[in-house]
Amino acid sequence: MNSSVIVFPGSNCDRDVADALTKLQFKNKMVWHKDSELPKSDLIVIPGGFSYGDYLRSGAIAAKSNILKEIIKAANSGCPVLGICNGFQILIETGLLKGALLRNKNLKFISKDVYLKVLGNENKFCKNFKKGKVIKLNIAHNEGNFFTNSDHLKELEDKDLIPFKYCDKNGTINESSNPNGSLNNIAGILNEKKNILGMMPHPERMIDNLISNTDGVELFSSILN
Amino acid sequence: MKFAITITLKKDVLDPQGKVVKQTLQGMGMNSLQNVRQGKYFEIEINEKDEFKANNIVKEMCDKLLANLIIEDYKINKI
Amino acid sequence: MKITENIILSHGLKLDEYAKIKSLLNREPNYLELGIFSAMWNEHCSYKSSKVHLKKLPVKNKNVIQGPGENAGVIDIGDDDAIIFKIESHNHPSFIEPYQGAATGVGGILRDVFTMGARPIALLNSIHFGSPNNLKTKNLLNGVVSGIGGYGNCIGIPTVAGETKFNSTYNENILVNAMAVGLANKNKIFYSKAKGINKPVVYVGSKTGRDGIHGASMASAEFDDNSEEKKPTVQVGDPFTEKLLMEACLELMKEKSIISIQDMGAAGLTSSSVEMAHKGNLGIELDLDKVPCREENMSPYEMMLSESQERMLIILEDGKEESAKKIFTKWDLDFVVIGKTTEARDLSLKFKNQSVASIPIEALSSKAPVYDRKWSKKKLSKKKISLKDLKKVKFENAFLKIFSSPNHSNKKWVTDQYDQMVMGDTIERSGADAAIIKIHNKDKAVAVTVDSSANYCKSNPNNGGKQIVCENWRNLISVGAKPLAITNCLNFGNPENPEIMGEFAENILGIKEACEFLDFPVVSGNVSFYNGTNKNNIFPTPVIGGVGLIKNLKRIQNHRFKKLNSQIILIGKTFGHLGQSVFLDEVYSLREGLPPEVNLSNEKNNGEIVINLINKNLINSVHDVSSGGIILALAEMSISSSIGIKINKPKKLSNIFEFFFGEDQSRYIVEVDNNNSPKVEKFLKENNTYYENIGTTQKDFFELEKELKISVKDLYEANNKWYNNYNAFKS
């Protein structure tokens, strides 16, 4: 399978996610933001980092770049698009995903391992997870506090568009297991067609037991088959 | 009484955000753009009828909290 | 403009130094030249007070590729890999503007490392604040921590280790020391030495603004009516631009275009160009009209002394300008040829087609003043500490007081603000004895750590210097690394005061002795004098940053208990030394007596023993014993693993306060499986290494018979509340 990782000035998880994809046997290409053509891809990843320094608003400037037009085209024709962290913020700024990512409730950058509950596995990204499984991924962001209007929230909940929510070790989803103030503990959302996933936690950091754990592997392997 | 307060980086202080916004706008074809400085904006209501006094209170708020006087300047306008 | 006495002094130069300038030039300098001299002759650039002492430090061994004198030190870690690292202070700017001061400190140290061809792989820091009760402390803590995080997180380099300490000695002068560690190919290291005449000198990176133009111009406001505009402005860090600059430089380094490269740090364009010319034994001519400026009407003085961040100076091979420029344009960075190297060994500056300065490079470098300042030997305290003279306290209360004190509380509040995982190679994060970073795509890793012990160094500078090197060494050993080399950031008070200069001189001797004994050379570093206000100098605070190598990823260790019912063995002898201990400080507010003695041969022996045990795969976990003594070390092992321990009462030293809180050196605690313990004990005996069985791990409780029984969960809570309470929003 072919994957493309989009690189913006200030992206900094591009290498990490490319390594993860390669490890899982994707044929990956790095795509520079000024390029006007996307290589043939079965998966597009917008990696984490601080595109354009997160200046103005996280993701806002990257959303205006050349390559985004191509990504939007590909996404609209059904190509899976995964936005991680800053990538999620960029997907929101382009309008490919709805909602907003506000500053963390404690107004601080938060970097730590958190638990997530896999709520829905009927989508390309989560097939290989057992539904209800609790996984541990790393988060590292300043603006990950997801917010949206009540209609959209209802749509997300009703149509199974929330694959991951923050929880505690035992899978309990409540305020104390919410690291950043996210609405309903939402850690990631899908678009209605379920081919675009935006998530704050970093699955690419969890692919090796020596470093952390392997809870991120199933996400990438889900896309593979 | 209501005031609008604009806080911007001092003239000679580097404004990384303004710089990137400027480059992006220029890249989008806004050719007449000369410069961008980014700042913060506050609206503050004061329970005080005397404008001079109210202005001084707002000024104190700027000096003591809202602005970082090491790198920022502020402007106060009554609205 | 006439150079008056006032102007000279306001440039931080002494009158005799000015006389020396005149004799070196054979004339009076102009104002710009005076500024250049003041920048190059100040303590920070010239090391004029420290040089004679620094020379004593060991700087070489078979692993050292480059010692002090370059942007950073370089060591060999095998397979053509080199580690490039350095620590630097940014104390004063951080006190004025904590966020930007700390951020630009991180930016500066990163440039030192990638300038030499390394991709930075880890950031560390050592930050020291005044007493938590000091009104300024909270704001400074918040600003510095978010500044360090703001820069490192954005540029995408993990901040993996560090220390955060509080001590009233820093009330008016905090310390912010940042360390960067990079990885390079040992055959592709870039140096600052210029070579060849008429080679293009290129300016790359951000534009030059009126950032941090040294205080001199503010103090001499009389020369200009617009004094407001002459105020030095705080440097603002732009990590985004630094990221671009780093990628562009590393991309250019893949080609054979660079003769030499130097970042523009303190004293910006001045020090970078002088440094390159001096090392290459040639001159540099700059056309200041070509310098990319951010503001209008910048004067040569401002351009030469500006400390705008994220800039580099490069000397290129002939004919490489076009291809190099392409790379910088791709990354949206300025790239301008602003001068050339010259045969005449001068720094010559042109502006508006006129020569505005011409100074022999030697006058700015090798002929800069060097002082062997007067220093006095420390009178050591003769005070004996006797517990009998002190008010009785309950063991449990004393322990919990220490374990929940600001200096010993869990630092998650701090470290959760740093991205520790980006780049995907962080094996061990903050909170361990040392952080472990995997060498990307290889089966080896480096361990990194920073340490300081100001109270020890104040009481006995020589011994303190030794101790801190040893503690660093021990921390690297404790994760299974072979310690290779260190970098040091020497934070001291006013060197013109003989007592302070004595602290410095003796401290260096202590560091030297330990480094020599342990074959642990100093490969880079930084001296920061004049920390303090008026007569209030800070405690001498050398910060040691160490790097070690782990060749076998299967033999990594950490301090987390692994199993129930394991034997806990203390390696090294306990005498119960309480002088300058945390126990006295936290429980009795006493900083008395002398710090513990350092026995270097025990240190080396015990360290090698522990590494051997790790390599033989005989132990489950290991932790060094440092401030707070055995009981704190055990508590940390316990809460990090959620496994309890039943601690034995000591057999030989009957006073439990002395035994458990004593800070004797060269000690490690190891956790050993029951079935391995005969092997371990045999090995220790064979090697004449003193050890004691001090307990057994158990479920849920941290326990010392009749003195202390607390659930590990409560213990964790006790250790975790201080930062959150201190920083909680008060509504």
Side-chain angles (χ1 to χ4, degrees):
Chain A
M1 270 195 137
N2 298 308
S3 58
S4 298
V5 171
I6 315 297
V7 185
F8 297 98
S11 295
N12 64 31
C13 301
D14 44 336
R15 188 187 80 175
D16 304 357
V17 78
D19 281 355
L21 290 166
T22 311
K23 193 171 172 177
L24 282 146
Q25 313 300 325
F26 280 88
K27 282 200 192 90
N28 186 58
K29 281 202 173 119
M30 305 303 263
V31 181
W32 182 240
H33 72 113
K34 280 183 186 163
D35 291 358
S36 44
E37 253 178 78
L38 260 179
K40 189 182 158 316
S41 319
D42 306 300
L43 169 69
I44 299 167
V45 181
I46 309 183
F50 285 67
S51 58
Y52 298 92
D54 269 1
Y55 298 153
L56 190 62
R57 284 185 312 278
S58 308
I61 309 246
K64 303 285 175 231
S65 65
N66 245 348
I67 196 70
L68 246 303
K69 292 176 202 130
E70 297 306 307
I71 296 174
I72 293 172
K73 252 189 248 164
N76 287 340
S77 62
C79 177
V81 179
L82 169 63
I84 303 167
C85 198
N86 193 228
F88 186 12
Q89 293 162 340
I90 293 169
L91 288 174
I92 288 213
E93 283 287 342
T94 57
L96 283 172
L97 290 173
K98 284 190 278 186
L101 287 159
L102 310 178
R103 272 191 84 179
N104 296 339
K105 199 174 157 195
N106 71 349
L107 302 180
K108 300 219 179 291
F109 189 92
I110 305 172
S111 166
K112 61 177 180 186
D113 292 350
V114 294
Y115 292 98
L116 303 173
K117 192 166 195 167
V118 183
L119 296 176
N121 59 359
E122 286 162 27
N123 62 69
K124 289 188 175 78
F125 305 93
C126 299
K127 281 198 299 244
N128 290 359
F129 286 111
K130 228 177 106 196
K131 194 169 170 178
K133 186 179 177 182
V134 175
I135 60 173
K136 186 157 95 171
L137 298 184
N138 186 258
I139 55 168
H141 58 248
N142 220 340
E143 283 99 9
N145 177 356
F146 182 78
F147 179 79
T148 194
N149 61 39
S150 51
D151 291 347
H152 183 219
L153 180 64
K154 190 169 182 311
E155 185 192 337
L156 288 173
E157 298 274 9
D158 291 352
K159 295 187 176 160
D160 193 18
L161 302 178
I162 307 169
F164 304 111
K165 280 189 179 180
Y166 300 108
C167 64
D168 65 14
K169 206 157 64 179
N170 307 314
T172 315
I173 298 166
N174 58 20
E175 204 180 317
S176 67
S177 59
N178 185 341
N180 56 16
S182 227
L183 196 63
N184 288 12
N185 285 39
I186 290 173
I189 60 165
L190 293 156
N191 64 336
E192 207 185 335
K193 280 202 237 153
K194 296 190 177 182
N195 69 319
I196 305 174
L197 168 65
M199 62 192 291
M200 291 315 293
H202 289 271
E204 80 280 12
R205 294 182 179 187
M206 274 37 197
I207 51 157
D208 182 351
N209 275 326
L210 177 70
I211 304 292
S212 45
N213 63 37
T214 51
D215 287 356
V217 168
E218 281 149 303
L219 188 132
F220 296 107
S221 68
S222 295
I223 308 163
L224 260 184
N225 36 40
Chain B
M1 206 168 285
K2 212 169 168 184
F3 293 89
I5 297 138
T6 314
I7 296 179
T8 48
L9 287 164
K10 284 184 179 168
K11 186 173 151 280
D12 284 346
V13 173
L14 173 68
D15 176 8
Q17 305 214 53
K19 190 175 94 183
V20 165
V21 171
K22 174 182 148 185
Q23 283 171 358
T24 308
L25 289 170
Q26 283 171 337
M28 292 164 74
M30 320 275 182
N31 296 325
S32 55
L33 173 66
Q34 257 198 328
N35 203 8
V36 176
R37 301 284 284 174
Q38 186 170 324
K40 296 187 192 106
Y41 176 80
F42 297 84
E43 280 179 10
I44 288 185
E45 275 184 70
I46 302 281
N47 190 6
E48 169 63 62
K49 296 214 171 76
D50 182 325
E51 186 178 337
F52 180 74
K53 273 190 194 159
N55 198 73
N56 275 344
I57 294 168
V58 176
K59 197 167 169 305
E60 194 187 345
M61 291 173 175
C62 290
D63 288 339
K64 287 195 172 160
L65 179 69
L66 302 181
N68 175 355
L69 297 181
I70 310 277
I71 50 176
E72 292 171 331
D73 280 332
Y74 59 86
K75 280 185 209 124
I76 302 172
N77 288 305
K78 186 168 173 283
I79 50 176
Chain C
M1 185 195 317
K2 175 102 183 90
I3 307 279
T4 62
E5 200 176 304
N6 232 342
I7 291 177
I8 295 164
L9 296 177
S10 72
H11 275 77
L13 289 160
K14 301 271 154 44
L15 293 179
D16 58 329
E17 290 176 333
Y18 184 71
K20 190 172 175 187
I21 292 173
K22 281 199 295 189
S23 85
L24 284 169
L25 288 178
N26 278 323
R27 61 176 167 85
E28 298 246 344
N30 62 32
Y31 188 74
L32 167 62
E33 290 168 333
L34 183 77
I36 290 173
F37 270 103
S38 82
M40 291 307 296
W41 283 19
N42 72 17
E43 198 61 62
H44 187 88
C45 286
S46 73
Y47 291 87
K48 60 188 170 190
S49 305
S50 55
K51 231 177 205 167
V52 293
H53 299 280
L54 294 175
K55 269 198 265 181
K56 297 171 186 161
L57 292 172
V59 295
K60 281 185 194 149
N61 72 6
K62 65 176 193 324
N63 303 316
V64 176
I65 296 173
Q66 173 67 51
E70 271 291 336
N71 282 300
V74 185
I75 54 173
D76 192 337
I77 58 160
D79 318 317
D80 281 349
D81 296 320
I83 289 291
I84 302 187
F85 67 106
K86 190 185 182 187
I87 190 167
E88 204 162 66
S89 63
H90 224 211
N91 304 340
H92 294 134
S94 303
F95 189 70
I96 296 169
E97 211 311 291
Y99 184 96
Q100 296 298 345
T104 50
V106 173
I109 197 65
L110 282 172
R111 282 195 298 286
D112 279 335
V113 163
F114 73 74
T115 305
M116 296 193 74
R119 178 170 286 278
I121 57 171
L123 283 164
L124 297 89
N125 58 75
S126 171
I127 51 182
H128 297 244
F129 302 93
S131 156
N133 304 322
N134 184 294
L135 282 179
K136 294 175 187 159
T137 298
K138 194 188 289 184
N139 183 33
L140 289 168
L141 170 73
N142 273 279
V144 167
V145 169
S146 45
I148 289 172
Y151 211 97
N153 299 343
C154 181
I155 194 165
I157 293 152
T159 302
V160 296
E163 46 171 22
T164 305
K165 292 186 173 176
F166 303 90
N167 185 326
S168 54
T169 187
Y170 309 113
N171 276 357
E172 299 302 320
N173 192 116
I174 62 170
L175 302 183
V176 175
N177 294 180
M179 171 172 163
V181 181
L183 174 68
N185 178 319
K186 84 169 185 198
N187 306 311
K188 283 187 186 157
I189 291 164
F190 292 83
Y191 296 98
S192 57
K193 181 182 174 180
K195 258 181 279 182
I197 311 298
N198 277 325
K199 303 289 178 193
V201 176
V202 187
Y203 172 116
V204 299
S206 283
K207 293 188 192 324
T208 297
R210 295 189 174 98
D211 304 299
I213 292 171
H214 70 93
S217 46
M218 174 169 69
S220 48
E222 72 267 16
F223 67 83
D224 199 284
D225 295 331
N226 298 323
S227 56
E228 186 55 34
E229 297 213 339
K230 293 281 176 191
K231 265 192 186 169
T233 47
V234 170
Q235 301 135 271
V236 170
D238 182 356
F240 169 61
T241 299
E242 177 122 323
K243 165 83 174 162
L244 305 186
L245 183 62
M246 177 174 84
E247 297 300 342
C249 285
L250 293 175
E251 200 172 320
L252 179 63
M253 283 163 174
K254 288 184 190 151
E255 301 177 6
K256 287 188 174 141
S257 334
I258 298 174
I259 296 174
S260 88
I261 175 165
Q262 171 80 34
D263 87 297
M264 293 192 221
L269 200 44
T270 297
S271 68
S272 53
S273 50
V274 170
E275 190 83 1
M276 291 169 113
H278 166 60
K279 292 217 173 99
N281 227 346
L282 37 77
I284 274 187
E285 187 182 294
L286 300 179
D287 182 355
L288 297 180
D289 294 297
K290 294 196 175 135
V291 172
C293 288
R294 200 173 75 222
E295 315 292 342
E296 284 171 13
N297 301 322
M298 285 189 59
S299 68
Y301 183 93
E302 290 169 329
M303 289 181 213
M304 289 308 289
L305 297 181
S306 160
E307 294 194 347
S308 290
Q309 301 288 297
E310 294 95 19
R311 303 178 299 161
M312 296 268 194
L313 207 56
I314 301 177
I315 297 177
L316 279 181
E317 295 283 5
D318 292 323
K320 296 287 184 182
E321 289 101 315
E322 275 316 303
S323 60
K325 188 171 185 166
K326 227 184 205 165
I327 293 173
F328 285 85
T329 311
K330 170 185 159 192
W331 291 98
D332 294 322
L333 294 165
D334 274 305
F335 176 103
V336 187
V337 177
I338 60 166
K340 59 180 189 209
T341 57
T342 60
E343 196 163 4
R345 282 150 61 182
D346 295 322
L347 175 70
S348 1
L349 306 177
K350 283 193 309 186
F351 186 60
K352 299 198 168 149
N353 288 322
Q354 281 188 352
S355 166
V356 288
S358 177
I359 309 173
I361 294 288
E362 276 189 334
L364 295 168
S365 50
S366 52
K367 294 205 168 143
V370 174
Y371 298 125
D372 190 355
R373 293 193 190 275
K374 242 195 237 144
W375 63 274
S376 57
K377 222 171 146 126
K378 180 98 185 176
K379 286 194 191 75
L380 299 180
S381 159
K382 294 223 168 64
K383 186 154 181 152
K384 288 266 177 288
I385 311 293
S386 169
L387 286 177
K388 286 182 198 120
D389 306 335
L390 297 170
K391 214 180 109 200
K392 273 207 157 161
V393 288
K394 275 181 85 176
F395 186 85
E396 176 172 356
N397 293 349
F399 163 65
L400 286 175
K401 178 153 196 217
I402 297 171
F403 203 49
S404 56
S405 68
N407 278 325
H408 295 87
S409 283
N410 191 315
K411 311 262 186 300
K412 267 176 120 30
W413 182 88
V414 175
T415 55
D416 278 359
Q417 296 185 51
Y418 306 147
D419 190 339
Q420 306 198 46
M421 293 291 284
V422 63
M423 296 185 85
D425 288 314
T426 310
I427 296 175
E428 197 64 54
R429 312 179 208 176
S430 290
D433 285 321
I436 303 176
I437 310 296
K438 189 167 172 282
I439 302 302
H440 200 60
N441 291 334
K442 295 203 178 163
D443 287 324
K444 60 182 177 183
V446 287
V448 290
T449 181
V450 287
D451 293 287
S452 64
S453 51
N455 288 352
Y456 285 6
C457 290
K458 180 67 187 172
S459 165
N460 184 343
N462 184 306
N463 202 44
K466 265 193 268 184
Q467 187 274 338
I468 201 60
V469 172
C470 290
E471 179 165 352
N472 193 274
W473 201 74
R474 225 177 292 144
N475 280 327
L476 295 173
I477 296 267
S478 299
V479 297
K482 177 183 163 39
L484 291 181
I486 61 168
T487 178
N488 57 13
C489 193
L490 306 168
N491 307 281
F492 284 77
N494 186 337
E496 294 161 50
N497 173 338
E499 268 177 46
I500 303 296
M501 201 60 221
E503 289 173 350
F504 185 80
E506 289 196 73
N507 198 252
I508 291 282
L509 289 176
I511 293 175
K512 164 194 149 79
E513 199 188 326
C515 287
E516 277 175 354
F517 195 90
L518 300 172
D519 190 22
F520 200 26
V522 182
V523 296
S524 59
N526 163 242
V527 178
S528 170
F529 278 130
Y530 299 100
N531 287 293
T533 47
N534 304 322
K535 295 253 145 67
N536 264 330
N537 290 291
I538 62 156
F539 282 10
T541 317
V543 175
I544 304 287
V547 174
L549 176 64
I550 296 171
K551 278 192 187 156
N552 181 351
L553 293 178
K554 293 202 177 76
R555 294 290 173 268
I556 283 175
Q557 260 309 343
N558 61 49
H559 67 296
R560 296 183 285 278
F561 285 145
K562 302 292 179 310
K563 290 181 186 168
L564 300 179
N565 300 317
S566 328
Q567 294 299 311
I568 302 305
I569 295 177
L570 172 70
I571 296 176
K573 205 158 188 175
T574 303
F575 301 93
H577 184 100
L578 287 179
Q580 294 300 331
S581 65
V582 170
F583 173 71
L584 288 191
D585 193 9
E586 293 290 346
V587 179
Y588 296 101
S589 303
L590 287 177
R591 286 181 189 154
E592 285 189 348
L594 289 173
E597 279 303 316
V598 176
N599 179 325
L600 290 172
S601 69
N602 279 352
E603 191 67 63
K604 193 171 180 182
N605 176 65
N606 295 357
E608 283 169 357
I609 290 290
V610 169
I611 272 288
N612 256 310
L613 289 173
I614 294 172
N615 287 335
K616 287 172 192 285
N617 206 13
L618 285 173
I619 53 182
N620 299 341
S621 63
V622 49
H623 195 15
D624 82 307
V625 180
S626 61
S627 71
I630 297 169
I631 196 79
L632 252 72
L634 289 172
E636 285 163 1
M637 296 176 90
S638 203
I639 59 165
S640 59
S641 59
S642 305
I643 291 177
I645 175 173
K646 192 169 167 57
I647 307 166
N648 306 333
K649 285 245 169 117
K651 293 197 182 76
K652 292 202 173 127
L653 187 69
S654 57
N655 186 306
I656 53 167
F657 290 91
E658 289 176 350
F659 185 80
F660 287 109
F661 291 117
E663 298 186 0
D664 307 289
Q665 297 295 297
S666 324
R667 294 181 300 163
Y668 298 82
I669 293 169
V670 296
E671 177 198 357
V672 182
D673 261 359
N674 269 324
N675 53 358
N676 278 332
S677 72
K679 276 186 234 161
V680 171
E681 294 191 34
K682 185 166 170 256
F683 180 74
L684 292 171
K685 275 179 198 148
E686 279 169 5
N687 287 283
N688 297 318
T689 303
Y690 187 88
Y691 72 93
E692 288 174 66
N693 293 71
I694 56 166
T696 316
T697 54
Q698 66 177 8
K699 217 169 163 227
D700 298 339
F701 285 96
F702 189 79
E703 182 179 2
L704 173 63
E705 197 187 337
K706 286 189 190 144
E707 299 293 343
L708 174 73
K709 185 170 183 179
I710 177 169
S711 78
V712 176
K713 207 169 153 242
D714 289 346
L715 192 61
Y716 178 86
E717 293 301 323
N719 187 237
N720 259 281
K721 61 183 184 208
W722 185 81
Y723 273 96
N724 288 326
N725 290 347
Y726 185 62
N727 289 290
F729 291 109
K730 303 251 165 25
S731 54

